[in-house]
């Protein structure tokens, strides 16, 4: 194998480093040109398993030692101990979010566009590229869970994951334990992201609380003081409303919802009027709904937001809203923990 490829592979994946050792290959000569850069990869493998890394490096500088040869059993030990990534996937109407957790800590999170036209092979390639971007080998994935609000894509994404990963994947739905009682007419209709958001929010403290999940639509779901999910509301998201308005009108321009509204409610031009309407109007709408939630569940109810609700809208709300970027993936990971075997 060319020297450059070996060097890059060792940097990206410590398992490859271990594999070279396990196959009794002195890869010392391959990494000499970039020794400082490879030091971290070597240290990852050796220090974790009690090998004298520093003495090896010291003697390396004196050109008196080659890196040690390791028995093949040591490679298998490393391979098993490196398999600590648990993959969670959220399929939304706009995006598919993939996140990885190791030792209860988020290691990476990435997003792909949801495409109804994409094939299983296309999803597999995109998912592999995303994992590669974050330097995660599929072999490191020990298990996973998928939550979806787009039934047509659920099977496709699962099949794509199984093309390159042999780990067991769960799907949020009837039969999985979440720790929350669902006081709904038809629990099967509850969006997976709302259940996951509620599970993660309850990790921070007991109810009553409400989770605001913003994607194509804004969904608000409430949990009462008995830790029961009791219902909520669904309304169009500001991005969807803005897109529809611009498409159906001749002279209204597209605006950036991440830009703040003007200091006065009295906009002086078309763009300012739109900015005020969408930023302050959406904030006012959320404040009005929050008052109704407080009337039913008590004044101490806490509000959590996640998804693509712009910061400008959250900050324009008079109701305190705690934003958690990874609320849904955190909840998915908690549900996976409750349902894992062994």
């Amino acid at each position: 194998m060319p020297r450059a490829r070996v060097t890059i592979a060792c940097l990206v994946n410590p398992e490859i480093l271990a594999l070279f050792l396990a196959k009794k290959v002195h890869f010392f000569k391959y990494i000499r040109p970039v020794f400082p850069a490879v030091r971290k990869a070597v240290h990852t493998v050796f220090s974790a398993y009690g090998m004298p890394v520093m003495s090896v490096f010291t003697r390396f500088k004196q050109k008196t030692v080659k890196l040690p040869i390791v028995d093949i059993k040591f490679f298998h030990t490393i391979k098993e101990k490196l398999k600590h990534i648990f993959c969670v996937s959220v399929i939304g109407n706009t995006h598919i979010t993939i996140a990885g957790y190791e030792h209860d800590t988020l290691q990476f999170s990435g997003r792909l566009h949801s495409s109804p036209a994409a094939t299983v092979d296309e999803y597999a390639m995109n998912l592999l590229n995303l994992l590669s971007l974050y330097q995660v080998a599929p072999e490191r994935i020990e298990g996973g869970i998928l939550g979806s609000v787009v039934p047509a894509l659920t099977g496709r994404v699962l099949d794509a994951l199984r093309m390159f990963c042999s780990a067991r994947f769960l799907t949020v739905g009837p039969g999985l334990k979440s720790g929350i009682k669902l006081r709904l007419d038809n629990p099967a209709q509850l969006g997976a992201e709302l259940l996951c958001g509620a599970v993660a929010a309850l990790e921070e403290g007991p109810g009553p609380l409400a989770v605001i999940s913003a994607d194509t639509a804004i969904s608000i779901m409430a949990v009462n003081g008995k830790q029961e999910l009791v219902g909520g509301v669904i309304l169009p998201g500001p991005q969807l409303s803005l897109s529809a308005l611009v498409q159906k009108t001749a002279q209204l321009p597209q605006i950036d919802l991440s830009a703040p509204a003007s200091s006065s409610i009295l906009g002086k031009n078309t763009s300012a009027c739109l900015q005020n309407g969408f930023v302050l109007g959406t904030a006012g709408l959320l404040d009005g709904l929050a008052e109704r939630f407080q009337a039913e569940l008590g004044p101490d109810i806490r509000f959590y937001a996640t998804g693509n609700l712009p910061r400008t809208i959250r900050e324009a709300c008079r109701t305190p809203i705690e934003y958690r970027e990874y609320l849904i993936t955190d909840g998915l990971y908690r549900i996976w923990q409750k349902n894992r075997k062994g």
Side-chain angles (χ1 to χ4, degrees):
M1 183 183 292
R3 176 181 298 176
R5 289 188 187 176
V6 173
T7 300
I8 293 172
C10 291
L11 281 170
V12 170
N13 191 345
E15 283 192 55
I16 296 177
L17 182 79
L19 179 60
F20 268 81
L21 294 173
K23 287 183 177 288
K24 304 183 183 297
V25 176
H26 283 295
F27 65 99
F28 175 83
K29 62 181 179 179
Y30 290 104
I31 65 174
R32 182 188 297 273
V34 289
F35 180 76
V38 173
R39 182 185 183 113
K40 182 178 179 181
V42 178
H43 190 276
T44 299
V45 174
F46 284 83
S47 64
Y49 303 98
M51 300 188 73
V53 181
M54 296 312 297
S55 62
V56 170
F57 283 127
T58 301
R59 285 180 288 159
F60 173 85
K61 292 178 180 179
Q62 299 171 356
K63 300 181 180 179
T64 60
V65 69
K66 292 183 178 181
L67 291 178
I69 289 179
V70 181
D71 188 84
I72 189 68
K73 292 180 181 178
F74 179 68
F75 166 67
H76 291 305
T77 301
I78 290 177
K79 185 176 181 180
E80 289 304 312
K81 291 190 176 183
L82 284 173
K83 286 183 68 173
H84 283 310
I85 291 290
F86 305 101
C87 181
V88 302
S89 176
V90 184
I91 303 177
N93 292 294
T94 307
H95 294 103
I96 296 175
T97 301
I98 304 292
Y101 288 79
E102 185 175 16
H103 305 303
D104 296 340
T105 302
L106 180 70
Q107 296 299 318
F108 73 90
S109 179
R111 303 172 85 188
L112 303 172
H113 280 293
S114 299
S115 174
T119 65
V120 172
D121 290 340
E122 287 173 317
Y123 274 120
M125 288 189 294
N126 289 334
L127 290 167
L128 271 173
N129 286 336
L130 189 146
L131 291 174
S132 176
L133 178 66
Y134 290 99
Q135 301 181 4
V136 176
E139 295 79 14
R140 291 191 62 196
I141 299 175
E142 183 172 325
I145 186 168
L146 186 148
S148 174
V149 297
V150 190
L153 295 185
T154 304
R156 236 177 291 177
V157 174
L158 268 176
D159 289 343
L161 288 167
R162 288 167 179 158
M163 286 183 70
F164 58 82
C165 181
S166 60
R168 175 172 173 255
F169 279 85
L170 305 177
T171 303
V172 174
L176 286 191
K177 296 178 291 185
S178 66
I180 301 178
K181 292 183 179 180
L182 306 181
R183 301 300 187 192
L184 305 172
D185 294 339
N186 187 353
Q189 292 181 343
L190 177 67
E193 85 284 6
L194 297 172
L195 177 62
C196 297
V199 168
L202 284 171
E203 289 288 320
E204 297 194 17
L209 58 85
V211 173
I212 305 170
S213 176
D215 189 43
T216 305
I218 292 179
S219 303
I220 309 176
M221 200 58 58
V223 176
N224 64 16
K226 298 179 181 179
Q227 320 316 312
E228 300 170 329
L229 197 148
V230 291
V233 301
I234 301 174
L235 57 144
Q239 293 89 344
L240 175 64
S241 298
L242 176 62
S243 176
L245 183 65
V246 171
Q247 288 179 7
K248 298 296 183 180
T249 55
Q251 293 186 320
L252 294 182
Q254 187 68 253
I255 59 171
D256 181 6
L257 292 176
S258 64
S262 60
S263 56
S264 170
I265 189 64
L266 305 175
K268 303 300 184 183
N269 55 64
T270 302
S271 294
C273 289
L274 275 174
Q275 199 76 33
N276 287 352
F278 274 91
V279 174
L280 300 180
T282 305
L285 183 152
L286 292 175
D287 284 333
L289 290 173
E291 289 181 5
R292 292 175 181 265
F293 275 84
Q294 290 168 341
E296 290 226 19
L297 297 171
D300 296 330
I301 184 172
R302 292 172 289 120
F303 291 89
Y304 293 89
T306 190
N308 59 4
L309 185 66
R311 177 192 294 270
T312 52
I313 293 176
R314 302 197 307 267
E315 292 178 347
C317 289
R318 293 172 180 171
T319 304
I321 297 176
E322 300 179 51
Y323 184 74
R324 299 287 186 271
E325 183 177 359
Y326 304 112
L327 190 71
I328 294 175
T329 57
D330 285 348
L332 259 179
Y333 177 65
R334 298 300 177 194
I335 293 175
W336 184 87
Q337 287 182 312
K338 294 176 188 290
N339 293 273
R340 65 181 296 184
K341 292 184 177 180

